[in-house]
Amino acid sequence: MARFTLPRDIYFGKDAISELKNLKGHRKAIVVTGGSSMKKGGFLQKVEDVLKETGLEVQLFEGVEPDPSIETVFRGAKAMQEFEPDVIVSIGGGSPIDAAKAMWVFYEYPDLTFDDIKDPFSIPPLRKKAIFVAIPSTSGTATEVTAFSVITDYSTHIKYPLADFEITPDIAILDSDIPLTMPKKLTAHTGMDALTHAIEAYVATARSPFSDPLALKAISDIYDSIVASYNEDEDARGKMHIAQCLAGMAFSNALLGIVHSLAHKVGAQYGIPHGCCNAIMLPYVVQYNSKVCMERFADIARIMGLPGRTNEQLTNSLVQTIKDLNKKLDIPLSYREYGVTEEQFKETADFIAQNAVLDPCTGSNPRETDVVNMKKVLTCTYYGMDVTF
């Protein structure tokens, strides 16, 4: 038996934040956010105003850092335990929403430790104290519709992807005015993150007839709009905001693969933004996985309208197109080109490969992967070499 889970409600379009009025009847809302962009754009104030007009008492928890730490999660959980909200609202990029998801767990279960929930599907039932509302400001992570939260342990330099349908938000609000505030580099990185989500979901072992159409539609729309979105086209930004959410619906249920397994570890080691890690890694993993699912990559190439008659030709077109997109988005084609030194790479490659094999995303990769092959893929990505094994 398989399962397919989404938020109960998804509101989208211009001024979608105003739909927070549907929370009427709740008592208290804590709003979790990251840096200053949502405050500068007036969106944080708008959230606060709508909630107060609806009759809720509101408290803010601000300053969630990029790649949120375990310590931040527990600080937020403590604030929730003191305020006792019955609604948790998070607005911002993937980091504050991911952090708020983890805070939610420890708010409802203050006696748990982080080790208690690190393993996939180990989170106990939530919603005893609060429901969760996510309002994304970026167009990539799709955490507003997923069962995932990525939290970093800075003492070990490891990112842990928490995975459980319990942390799928109850309500997602995709306000198309918000992504217009994204700078170009963030637009590029989050856009390629979304493309990676959709491609990995289409070939993942847990894929299904429910996830496949979402993944393909996301791929098509992202390919059509990502470059224009990067170049600040307003309509393309809105299209990307929806497309990345479709990709999230797909991968939250179909799961992911070793692009993410490696990116979680590479990003923590070298300080490379997650979406950029994925973008660099993606063409090499497509080559590696094509040994067992080339026909699926050919499907993707066809939906994108790429040239080729055979599955191999189409897959090669897909690999080249991903690299071409990276060039257009000013993303390096290898980790060496990004600036990771050879000495740094050689010192950390074994550690990254070993921990990437243990990452929850590895189990749903279409091709079985051990430490040796994981290191080979990583090495090819570092030097920019084709994967031929």
Side-chain angles (χ1 to χ4, degrees), residues 181-342:
T181 64
M182 287 193 297
K184 292 186 72 170
K185 182 177 285 190
L186 183 61
T187 302
H189 292 174
T190 56
M192 289 303 293
D193 189 21
L195 182 62
T196 304
H197 290 156
I199 290 175
E200 288 210 292
Y202 190 69
V203 301
T205 58
R207 65 182 184 265
S208 75
F210 292 93
S211 62
D212 280 353
L214 290 166
L216 290 175
K217 174 63 173 171
I219 290 166
S220 177
D221 285 356
I222 291 168
Y223 182 55
D224 287 346
S225 55
I226 189 170
V227 175
S229 177
Y230 175 68
N231 291 319
E232 302 179 325
D233 179 89
E234 183 173 334
D235 290 339
R237 289 276 175 106
K239 191 173 182 179
M240 280 294 299
H241 210 45
I242 300 299
Q244 64 86 33
C245 185
L246 297 177
M249 295 179 196
F251 89 79
S252 185
N253 291 277
L255 306 180
L256 293 166
I258 65 168
V259 176
H260 275 77
S261 302
L262 283 161
H264 291 148
K265 314 313 170 189
V266 167
Q269 284 294 319
Y270 305 143
I272 304 174
H274 175 69
C276 185
C277 280
N278 281 340
I280 295 170
M281 183 74 64
L282 181 58
Y284 305 99
V285 173
V286 169
Q287 288 179 323
Y288 175 75
N289 282 336
S290 68
K291 304 297 182 184
V292 299
C293 59
M294 187 175 287
E295 71 285 352
R296 303 287 289 187
F297 289 127
D299 288 344
I300 291 170
R302 289 188 190 96
I303 207 76
M304 294 168 71
L306 304 183
R309 296 180 63 186
T310 67
N311 286 347
E312 184 175 6
Q313 289 170 345
L314 287 161
T315 299
N316 289 339
S317 288
L318 176 60
V319 169
Q320 187 57 51
T321 297
I322 294 167
K323 291 181 179 179
D324 291 343
L325 280 177
N326 282 341
K327 290 177 185 176
K328 291 175 183 177
L329 301 173
D330 199 26
I331 294 173
L333 300 184
S334 69
Y335 291 134
R336 180 166 65 175
E337 186 181 329
Y338 184 90
V340 178
T341 67
E342 195 164 30

Side-chain angles (χ1 to χ4, degrees), residues 30-38 44 61-69 72-73 76 80 88-104 132-138 141 143-144 148-151 169 186:
I30 189 165
V31 180
V32 179
T33 190
S36 60
S37 62
M38 290 301 92
L44 180 60
F61 183 90
E62 301 181 71
V64 175
E65 73 273 40
D67 300 318
S69 66
T72 295
V73 166
M80 292 177 185
I88 299 165
V89 179
S90 188
I91 180 171
S95 293
I97 297 176
D98 278 6
K101 286 180 175 181
M103 293 171 189
W104 184 23
F132 193 96
V133 181
I135 308 173
S137 65
T138 59
T141 69
T143 188
E144 73 276 4
F148 295 93
S149 165
V150 180
I151 305 299
L186 183 61

